[in-house]
Amino acid sequence: MKYATEFRDPKAAKAVLARIAELADEIGATRAKPVHIMEICGGHTHAIFRYGLDKLVHDGIEFIHGPGCPVCVLPMSRVDECVEIALRPGVIFTTFGDAMRVPGTKMSLMQAKAAGADIRMVYSPLDALELARRNPDRQVVFFGLGFETTTPSTALSIQQAAREGLENFSVFCNHITVPEPIRALLDDPHMVLDGFVGPGHVSMVIGTHPYDFIARDYGKPIVVAGFEPLDLLQSVLMVLIQIRDGRAEVENQYARVVPEHGNPVSLAAIADVYEKRPSFEWRGLGEIDHSGLRIRAKYRAYDAEETFGIGYAAGPRFVAEPEGCACGQVMTGRIKPTACTQFGSGCTPEMPLGALMVSSEGACAAYWQYGGARATEATE
Amino acid sequence: MCLGIPGRIVAVTDEHRMMALAEVSGVRREVNVACILDGAIEDLLGEWALIHVGFAMARIDPDEAAKTLQALQDLGEAQEAAEAMAEGAKALEGQG
C-alpha cells in the first residue's frame, strides 16, 4: 500500500533501532533507569504492540501509554446517556463500532441493541446523515466522539444537515481536545515523563503549535509522529536526540501529512459549530477545564443533549467507576495494564469491566491482543 | 478512532456536496473532500489523501514523504557502513 509499506522496511528499522540503542547508551538510559516516552495517541499504542516495537527498542526506553483513546477517557455516565438516548422511542442511534462494547452502569450499547434499541454501527457521520434522509419519521442521533481528528467530520456533517434543513439529525457531542489533558498530566507531580510522541492525525487538523507549551513551559521534547513502524521509531530517535542535546522543541516527523498550521477548512468548521465547554469529565483525570467541546447555540437543533435534555444539559451528575477497575490509572499512564488486578481475570474482552479492554485503541486491548499472543509464543 | 488510511481520489461524484470516490487499499468509497479542496474539485483526481471516517482530511505531500524516506535510507546506509568498519576493525585485530 502506497505511503504505508515504504515505512515498514525491516532494513531501515534495524538501522533506526541501532541508532536508538547508541543514543540510549550515550544518555545513560537503562532498564532500571529508563527514559519515559509517552505516546499520547491510542493508535500509536496499538502500532507499538502490533509491530512489537516495545520489545525491539533498547531496554532503556519505556513507553508510557497516554490518554489518547477517546472511547476510554469517557466516564461511564456518558455511556449511560448513550444507552438512555438509544432506548427512547423513535430513535436510531448511530455510533462507531469502537464504542459498542464499552460497559455502562447497567448495559453497553451492544446489550441495549440486544434489548431492542435501534443501534447501528456506522463508518462515518455521513452514514448517519444518510440514515436521517432515508428515515424522516425517525430521530437519528450520532454519537460524536473523538479528539480533534474526528471533530471536523461531525462539524461538517452538522453544517451539511443545516444546509439541507434536516430536522431529524442530531449529534451527542463528546468531542475532546488533546492539549488540556497533557497539561494536566504534566502538572501531576507523580508523573515522570521525559518526552512525547505526538498524535499525528490530531496534528493534521490542529498543526504543531498547540504543543508549544510542552516544550516552552515544561521543557519536554515532543515529536509529532506517523503511524507506521518506521515513523514511530524515527520519532523516538528524534526525542532521544533532543534529550541528548539538552533541547526541548516541537518537531514534526509526519510532515507528509501534518502541516505546521493544521488544516484551515477543518479548523474553520470546528470554530463555526463548536465552542469549549467550561469543563469536561475525563475517566481517571476528573473534570478538566476547557477540555471538551459543545455545539454552539446556533446549531442547537442538532445538539442531542439539548433535544433529549440529558448529559450536561441535565445538570451535574456523577457515576462511580466499577469496584476494582483501574482504567483511570492505566489511561493516564500511572500503571501498566498488567498491573491492574482485574486484567485477564475480572476483565477480559468477552466480559469487560472497563473501557480500555474493548476499545480498539485501549491500552488493555493492545496488551491482551498482542502481548498475550507473544507471551504464548515465548512459552511454546 | 484516529485511524487514517492513505487513499487516492479517483472520481468526482457530487461537486455540490464536495463528494468524491476514493480508492483505499482496493476498496472504493465515497468521501467528503471539503478539507482538501483549494481549487476545482477535478484537480483532486489522482491525488493521495489521508482518509478518516469518510472524509479526506489531508493531502499527502509526496516531497515530504520522499524526504522522510531518504533520511531513513541515509541512516540505514550509515549504519551499514559503521557495521562494515567495525567488522574491518575486528579483522585487523584478528578477531574476525
Side-chain angles (χ1 to χ4, degrees):
Chain A
M1 192 180 15
K2 192 162 164 71
Y3 295 118
T5 43
E6 308 96 306
F7 296 90
R8 295 175 192 172
D9 175 27
K11 198 169 123 189
K14 196 175 151 217
V16 187
L17 283 164
R19 277 298 292 146
I20 287 174
E22 284 168 18
L23 273 158
D25 286 337
E26 197 178 334
I27 61 179
T30 61
R31 185 191 285 262
K33 203 173 165 236
V35 172
H36 297 91
I37 299 179
M38 174 175 273
E39 85 280 2
I40 296 168
C41 176
H44 280 154
T45 305
H46 272 255
I48 287 167
F49 284 95
R50 183 179 308 133
Y51 297 106
L53 305 184
D54 60 314
K55 298 282 189 287
L56 291 170
V57 293
H58 185 279
D59 269 2
I61 311 296
E62 186 168 349
F63 289 109
I64 307 292
H65 318 310
C69 163
V71 179
C72 306
V73 302
L74 288 184
M76 202 175 247
S77 57
R78 297 302 273 183
V79 179
D80 290 344
E81 286 153 10
C82 286
V83 171
E84 195 184 326
I85 295 172
L87 288 170
R88 297 268 180 109
V91 165
I92 299 175
F93 192 85
T94 58
T95 176
F96 294 132
D98 285 42
M100 283 298 281
R101 298 171 62 214
V102 177
T105 310
K106 292 200 184 97
M107 64 178 95
S108 65
L109 284 168
M110 188 79 96
Q111 289 161 329
K113 186 178 168 73
D118 190 349
I119 298 174
R120 319 248 184 123
M121 274 190 278
V122 292
Y123 161 68
S124 165
L126 295 173
D127 299 336
L129 263 187
E130 185 56 29
L131 276 170
R133 290 186 197 109
R134 290 183 191 179
N135 296 276
D137 56 335
R138 307 277 301 276
Q139 282 294 321
V140 176
V141 182
F142 180 71
F143 184 15
L145 79 168
F147 288 94
E148 293 91 333
T149 315
T150 317
T151 313
S153 64
T154 54
L156 289 160
S157 299
I158 288 173
Q159 287 177 327
Q160 181 65 29
R163 274 196 295 274
E164 293 179 31
L166 275 178
E167 290 177 352
N168 63 329
F169 172 78
S170 61
V171 172
F172 180 45
C173 178
N174 288 276
H175 287 302
I176 42 179
T177 53
V178 163
E180 290 76 12
I182 299 306
R183 188 184 290 278
L185 286 173
L186 283 164
D187 283 336
D188 181 344
H190 300 295
M191 291 300 295
V192 181
L193 297 170
D194 301 304
F196 292 88
V197 169
H201 291 152
V202 162
S203 311
M204 97 187 146
V205 172
I206 66 174
T208 58
H209 288 297
Y211 312 119
D212 286 348
F213 75 95
I214 297 174
R216 185 190 60 227
D217 302 342
Y218 294 90
K220 309 288 183 193
I222 172 165
V223 178
V224 172
F227 290 81
E228 296 301 334
L230 280 175
D231 290 321
L232 277 160
L233 291 176
Q234 192 181 26
S235 300
V236 168
L237 178 60
M238 289 164 77
V239 169
L240 293 178
I241 291 171
Q242 286 200 42
I243 292 173
R244 183 207 48 196
D245 296 348
R247 287 183 292 125
E249 291 168 17
V250 182
E251 291 182 317
N252 184 7
Q253 182 277 335
Y254 200 30
R256 65 185 184 277
V257 166
V258 174
E260 184 186 347
H261 297 288
N263 184 286
V265 178
S266 295
L267 291 171
I270 293 173
D272 178 50
V273 174
Y274 296 112
E275 63 188 358
K276 295 224 165 199
R277 295 178 193 265
S279 76
F280 192 77
E281 188 190 346
W282 294 61
R283 191 193 289 259
L285 286 164
E287 294 276 345
I288 303 178
D289 289 351
H290 311 300
S291 64
L293 302 176
R294 69 181 173 203
I295 296 169
R296 285 185 188 275
K298 69 173 174 171
Y299 290 108
R300 186 183 215 129
Y302 302 98
D303 186 348
E305 281 191 64
E306 294 291 334
T307 310
F308 295 94
I310 62 163
Y312 282 80
R317 72 274 176 274
F318 177 75
V319 178
E321 295 300 320
E323 185 78 25
C325 176
C327 272
Q329 283 171 282
V330 176
M331 212 268 310
T332 49
R334 289 175 175 89
I335 64 168
K336 291 279 194 290
T338 42
C340 172
T341 55
Q342 301 297 318
F343 182 85
S345 54
C347 185
T348 62
E350 290 73 30
M351 292 288 283
L353 192 62
L356 277 73
M357 187 56 98
V358 284
S359 167
S360 64
E361 290 178 8
C364 299
Y367 271 68
W368 184 268
Q369 202 174 336
Y370 304 110
R374 267 207 313 281
T376 310
E377 280 165 23
T379 56
E380 278 171 0
Chain B
M1 185 72 52
C2 276
L3 190 69
I5 303 177
R8 195 171 203 185
I9 308 296
V10 293
V12 175
T13 52
D14 184 340
E15 184 173 354
H16 181 63
R17 292 216 302 238
M18 294 177 276
M19 301 296 288
L21 211 56
E23 191 172 284
V24 182
S25 302
V27 178
R28 289 184 171 205
R29 144 120 212 172
E30 200 181 25
V31 299
N32 180 293
V33 293
C35 296
I36 59 167
L37 204 55
D38 57 4
I41 194 165
E42 288 78 20
D43 293 349
L44 295 176
L45 292 176
E47 290 281 318
W48 284 86
L50 205 289
I51 312 291
H52 169 69
V53 300
F55 289 76
M57 299 296 301
R59 288 201 208 199
I60 299 175
D61 185 329
D63 296 335
E64 289 292 350
K67 265 196 248 172
T68 305
L69 285 170
Q70 188 61 50
L72 288 163
Q73 199 183 331
D74 291 348
L75 203 59
E77 282 168 12
Q79 188 64 31
E80 272 182 20
E83 279 172 16
M85 276 189 266
E87 282 301 312
K90 271 197 262 175
L92 286 176
E93 289 163 18
Q95 300 167 359

